[in-house]
Amino acid sequence: MHTIRPTRLEIDLDAICSNYRALRAAAGGSPALAVVKADAYGHGAVPVARALRAAGADMFAVALIEEGIELREAGIEAPILMLGATDGPGALAAAEYGITEVVFTRDALLALEGAAKSLGVHAKAHLKIDTGMNRIGVRTEEELRDLLEAARLCPHVEITGAMTHCAAADDPESDFTLEQLERFDRMLAVAAEYGLRPERHAAASAAAVRYPQARYDRIRAGIALYGFDPMHTLPLRPAMRLVTRVSHVKRIAPGETVSYGRRFCAQRETDIATLPIGYADGYRRAFSCRAQALVHGVRVPVVGSVCMDQIMLDVTGLSVRPGDEAVLLGRQGGEEITSEELAGLAETIPYEIMTGISARVPRVYPGQEGGEADG
C-alpha cells in the first residue's frame, strides 16, 4: 500500500526484538516460539517474522492456515505451528506448505494423514491438550488414547509436540494454572506410554514469567513481544505508534457543538483540530469525549463523537496548524498514550486495541529499508 494519507501505524521492529530477548531472559533463557498470529497482533506478520528470525527466533505460531501460507510465501523457512483448528482443505494446505498442525480429534489426524499421503510428504503435528481452557483440545486420557491409537495408523504424520494453554496465568489470585499443569503432566505420561517424547509447551507470556515449571521445552512469546506485560515486571518497549496530521483547525464560539449527537458543547472560545482518522481505522467510537491525543507534546481531549473517518480535538492555546503531527497511540515528546490506557476507556484489553487497527492504516517501519509493509 502506498502511504499517501498522513494516518499511519509506525512499528518499531527493534523494540519487538528487544522484547523477545527480555522475555526469554525472564524465562531463564528458554527457547521461545514467536507468536505472529493476527498479523503479528496488528504489527505486520511478515516484517515482524523476518526481524525476529534475524534476532534468533527459530519457530513461529499462527492461528490460521492462511497466516502460515503468507509467511511461507514471504520466504520464512523456520517451523510454523498453526494453533487453531482446521478442516480437510486446511490439512492439505498444511501438508503442502510444511506447516505443523495441532490435532485433537481422530478425524483431523486422519485428514492430515490423507493429505500428506496424497502429496507424498510427511506432515508434522502437535497434540493439543485441553486442561481447562475449554476451547479446543483433547480433554480426557481416554480421548488421548483413542487419538494415539489412530496415530499408529498414520505413517505420514509425525507427532513432534504437545501443548496446552493456561486460562488464568496473569491472575495473581488464582492457582488454576497449577491445576492445569498437573493435568498436562498426566496427559504427557499417557503419551509416553505410546513411546512419544514430544516437545512440550504450555507457557504464554504471563505463565513464562510467573511459573518456571510451565516452561517445559519451549515458551510461547505472544503479547510481550509487542510491548505489553500482563505481569508488569518486564522491561518491555511498546512497538506501535499510531500517528496522523491535523487536517483543519477552526475556532468555535461558546454554545457551539461538535460532531454527531452534539455531545460536546463549547463553554468558551475553543480551537478545534480535525484529524483524518476514525472508527473505520480502528480508533473506536468508545473513545468519544473520553480519550486524549498528543499534539506539540501536550495531552489534548478528543471532543465530540468519533466519526467513521475523522475525529476532533480541543487544542485551545496550542497554536496548532494543519500539518502538525498528532499521536493517538504511542509517544510524543515526554508524553505517552498506551494501549492499556485506551483499553481501559473501551473496557477491553490491550490485545484488542492492537489487533483492531484496521488494514486501511498503512504499517510503516521507520529505519527499515523501504519503510513500508510488503504487499
Side-chain angles (χ1 to χ4, degrees):
M1 178 185 292
H2 295 292
T3 307
I4 297 173
R5 67 184 298 214
T7 303
R8 64 196 185 279
L9 193 62
E10 296 178 351
I11 306 300
D12 186 344
L13 294 175
D14 289 338
I16 292 173
C17 292
S18 174
N19 295 338
Y20 171 78
R21 290 188 288 268
L23 180 62
R24 285 198 61 199
S30 297
L33 179 160
V35 182
V36 293
K37 64 179 181 176
D39 200 30
Y41 292 51
H43 294 70
V46 170
V48 167
R50 286 175 174 163
L52 287 170
R53 189 75 182 96
D58 63 350
M59 188 174 184
F60 296 93
V62 297
L64 311 176
I65 189 65
E66 291 86 353
E67 294 174 337
I69 292 172
E70 179 187 22
L71 295 184
R72 284 284 184 252
E73 292 182 341
I76 302 298
E77 297 179 351
I80 298 171
L81 175 65
M82 184 180 65
L83 299 171
T86 190
D87 54 13
L92 186 63
E96 178 181 357
Y97 284 90
I99 296 167
T100 303
E101 184 181 324
V102 298
V103 294
F104 52 93
T105 67
R106 174 184 284 263
D107 287 347
L109 181 59
L110 295 178
L112 185 59
E113 166 67 18
K117 182 178 180 180
S118 71
L119 294 172
V121 300
H122 282 80
K124 294 182 178 180
H126 282 203
L127 300 171
K128 181 60 183 283
I129 309 299
D130 181 3
T131 58
M133 190 74 173
N134 284 321
R135 291 190 305 193
I136 59 174
V138 176
R139 286 170 47 87
T140 67
E141 293 184 20
E142 181 181 3
E143 289 177 359
L144 180 57
R145 292 180 190 280
D146 183 62
L147 185 63
L148 295 176
E149 289 292 343
R152 290 175 166 172
L153 306 176
C154 297
H156 295 84
V157 176
E158 180 184 4
I159 296 177
T160 58
M163 65 172 292
T164 194
H165 191 61
C166 301
D170 58 349
D171 182 355
E173 304 299 322
S174 173
D175 290 325
F176 187 59
T177 298
L178 297 176
E179 295 180 31
Q180 289 191 266
L181 297 179
E182 290 175 2
R183 295 174 191 171
F184 189 46
D185 287 337
R186 290 198 296 270
M187 298 292 256
L188 291 172
V190 171
E193 293 175 15
Y194 285 77
L196 290 177
R197 296 290 188 277
E199 182 177 62
R200 307 157 301 165
H201 52 106
S205 296
V209 175
R210 188 176 176 211
Y211 295 96
Q213 64 270 49
R215 295 168 189 165
Y216 291 99
D217 302 309
R218 182 181 293 274
I219 63 171
R220 298 192 296 269
I223 192 65
L225 288 178
Y226 308 105
F228 177 69
D229 174 13
M231 304 303 297
H232 300 285
T233 59
L234 299 176
L236 304 182
R237 293 158 47 194
M240 181 178 279
R241 188 170 181 262
L242 181 59
V243 300
T244 190
R245 295 194 177 274
V246 174
S247 59
H248 186 58
V249 181
K250 69 180 72 65
R251 179 163 293 174
I252 64 174
E256 288 195 87
T257 59
V258 174
S259 195
Y260 293 114
R262 307 182 71 197
R263 295 169 65 180
F264 174 80
C265 181
Q267 303 301 306
R268 50 171 167 74
E269 283 197 340
T270 304
D271 292 337
I272 298 294
T274 300
L275 307 183
I277 185 172
Y279 58 77
D281 299 299
Y283 194 78
R284 296 167 172 244
R285 192 170 171 84
F287 300 152
S288 301
C289 300
R290 302 183 70 193
Q292 295 179 323
L294 302 176
V295 181
H296 295 184
V298 177
R299 284 178 171 261
V300 296
V302 174
V303 294
S305 298
V306 171
C307 306
M308 183 180 290
D309 313 296
Q310 299 178 85
I311 65 171
M312 279 64 72
L313 310 176
D314 179 349
V315 295
T316 306
L318 292 181
S319 300
V320 172
R321 297 181 178 181
D324 287 353
E325 181 187 73
V327 175
L328 289 307
L329 173 63
R331 184 175 294 279
Q332 186 189 66
E335 289 284 343
E336 183 178 17
I337 294 172
T338 66
S339 59
E340 193 170 12
E341 174 183 337
L342 295 179
L345 297 176
E347 298 183 353
T348 184
I349 55 177
Y351 302 65
E352 196 169 2
I353 297 299
M354 294 179 188
T355 61
I357 298 174
S358 76
R360 80 172 191 173
V361 179
R363 273 66 172 165
V364 299
Y365 301 85
Q368 304 296 311
E369 184 178 352
E372 296 186 21
D374 294 342

